[in-house]
Amino acid sequence: MRAARFHAWGVLPTVDEVAEPAARDGYVTVRMTAAALSHLDLTVAGGTWHPHPELPYIGGVEGCGVTESGTQVLVRGGGLGLVRDGTWAELVHVAPKALTPVPADVPAEVAATFFQPASTAYVAVHDIGRAGRDDVVIVVGAAGAVGGQAVQQALRAGATVTGVVRRSEDLDRIPAGAGRIALADPDAVTALTTERPASLLIDTVGGPDTVGRSRWVAPGGRAVVLGYTAGPTVTVDLPSWLLDDVALVPVNMIRLGRRARELEAELTTALLAGELTVAVETFPLEAIGTGLERLRAGTLHGRGAVLL
C-alpha cells in the first residue's frame, strides 16, 4: 500500500510502498479516504515531541475512512501519528475506541479535518472561556482552522466577536459576523492595547507576543491559549502580569480527548445544519510535502487534507 513516511526528523515525508499493517485481534481495518494535515503532525515530525514514534513512521493524527462493513468513520486517537503509525496510509488497523461513525453525506475531506478544530474551539470558547452574550471576544488567528471555528462558535454563543489576522489580505477569510483587524494596522492594535475592550481572548498562534496580546483583555478577564504557530516560547514579566490581572489559561486537547469525543454528535449536527463550516484544501498523497510546507507557512485557506 502507499503511505507517507518520515525517515528523519525535521524533513518532509516521502510516499513509499509499504506492507499492509498486520491484523490484530480486536482491531478494525479501515480503508482511508482522506487524512488531515495538522500542526501537531509537524511538531511530532520535528523530533522534540516525547514520546514519539520510531523512525521511519507514517504520519497523520486524524483522518476519515470506511470500515469493512461500509461505515464511514472518523479516525483519531489511540496514539495514531504520535507514538505509532498514523493516518497517511491507504489502510490502518485501529482500536474501536479510535473510531466514530460519521454520516455518509459528510464529505471525507470535511470529516477528516472538521472535528479537531471544532472540538478544540468548543472547549476554548465554551468550557474554558465560558463565552456568553455579555462577552466581548477577540480571536487571534481568525483565518486559521481553529481560529475560524472559535469565531463561529463565539458568535453562536451570542458574544460580540472580533477576529484578528496577521496580514491585511487575510481579513476576508474571517467568518462573517465578526469585526476584523489585521496586525499590520498599527493604529488598530494600539487601540486594542489602550482600550482593553475584551473580556475573553482566544489566542491560537502563541509566540513571544502572547502576553502582550493578553493586554487587550480587561482586568479580571481570560486569555485562552491553544496554539504556538508564531513560536513555542514566551517570557512573562511577573510584576506586569500581576498588574494586568488577566488569567492565561492553556487548552490541552490531548488530556481532553474524551471531552472531544463527547462533542462529536453535537458538532456533527451543527455541521450538517450549516451552522458551522470548515474550508478545506485537498492534495493528492504524492503532493503531501506541498501541503505541509503551506501549512507551515500559514498560506493554507482553512485546513489541509490528503486524498488517499
Side-chain angles (χ1 to χ4, degrees):
M1 69 174 185
R2 294 180 309 146
R5 295 196 298 175
F6 292 100
H7 291 266
W9 303 118
V11 300
L12 293 172
T14 61
V15 178
D16 302 328
E17 287 287 339
V18 301
E20 292 184 2
R24 298 174 60 180
D25 288 343
Y27 275 48
V28 178
T29 301
V30 180
R31 182 165 294 279
M32 300 301 297
T33 49
L37 308 177
S38 75
H39 288 288
L40 183 54
D41 295 314
L42 294 175
T43 298
V44 176
T48 58
W49 176 277
H50 292 287
H52 53 62
E54 294 184 7
L55 294 169
Y57 77 94
I58 300 169
V61 298
E62 60 184 330
C64 176
V66 179
T67 66
E68 292 176 316
S69 66
T71 301
Q72 179 167 262
V73 289
L74 170 67
V75 183
R76 67 170 173 167
L80 288 165
L82 299 176
V83 295
R84 55 164 295 197
D85 285 337
T87 58
W88 298 345
E90 292 179 319
L91 286 176
V92 298
H93 289 316
V94 294
K97 67 179 181 180
L99 304 177
T100 302
V102 178
D105 51 352
V106 177
E109 65 272 20
V110 172
T113 58
F114 169 73
F115 292 96
Q116 183 272 331
S119 59
T120 300
Y122 188 103
V123 168
V125 170
H126 297 285
D127 294 356
I128 297 176
R130 305 185 302 278
R133 294 187 177 278
D134 295 332
D135 279 299
V136 175
V137 180
I138 296 176
V139 179
V140 182
V146 177
Q149 286 294 315
V151 169
Q152 293 178 65
Q153 296 193 34
L155 288 169
R156 290 182 74 222
T160 300
V161 184
T162 296
V164 176
V165 294
R166 183 177 60 180
R167 300 169 299 208
S168 298
E169 57 264 36
D170 291 332
L171 287 169
D172 60 359
R173 293 170 55 194
I174 298 172
R180 301 176 178 186
I181 290 176
L183 292 175
D185 181 347
D187 292 337
V189 174
T190 297
L192 291 177
T193 304
T194 302
E195 299 170 12
R196 301 185 69 173
S199 55
L200 172 64
L201 177 78
I202 305 291
D203 192 331
T204 72
V205 303
D209 295 328
T210 301
V211 173
R213 290 190 294 269
S214 74
R215 297 191 180 104
W216 301 347
V217 180
R222 307 169 300 287
V224 178
V225 182
L226 57 154
Y228 45 85
T229 58
T233 59
V234 62
T235 299
V236 178
D237 178 74
L238 288 176
S240 297
W241 177 64
L242 292 170
L243 186 63
D244 291 337
D245 191 14
V246 175
L248 292 173
V249 189
V251 176
N252 179 355
M253 290 306 294
I254 293 177
R255 180 178 68 82
L256 296 171
R258 178 176 297 180
R259 176 58 175 155
R261 293 191 179 283
E262 292 173 351
L263 294 169
E264 284 166 356
E266 178 179 344
L267 293 171
T268 299
T269 299
L271 175 67
L272 292 173
E275 298 173 3
L276 295 175
T277 61
V278 61
V280 187
E281 286 196 61
T282 60
F283 303 85
L285 185 61
E286 289 75 16
I288 189 170
T290 299
L292 289 170
E293 287 179 324
R294 289 190 53 201
L295 172 66
R296 195 193 310 272
T299 59
L300 282 178
H301 292 171
R303 295 213 68 189
V306 290
L307 302 180
L308 294 141

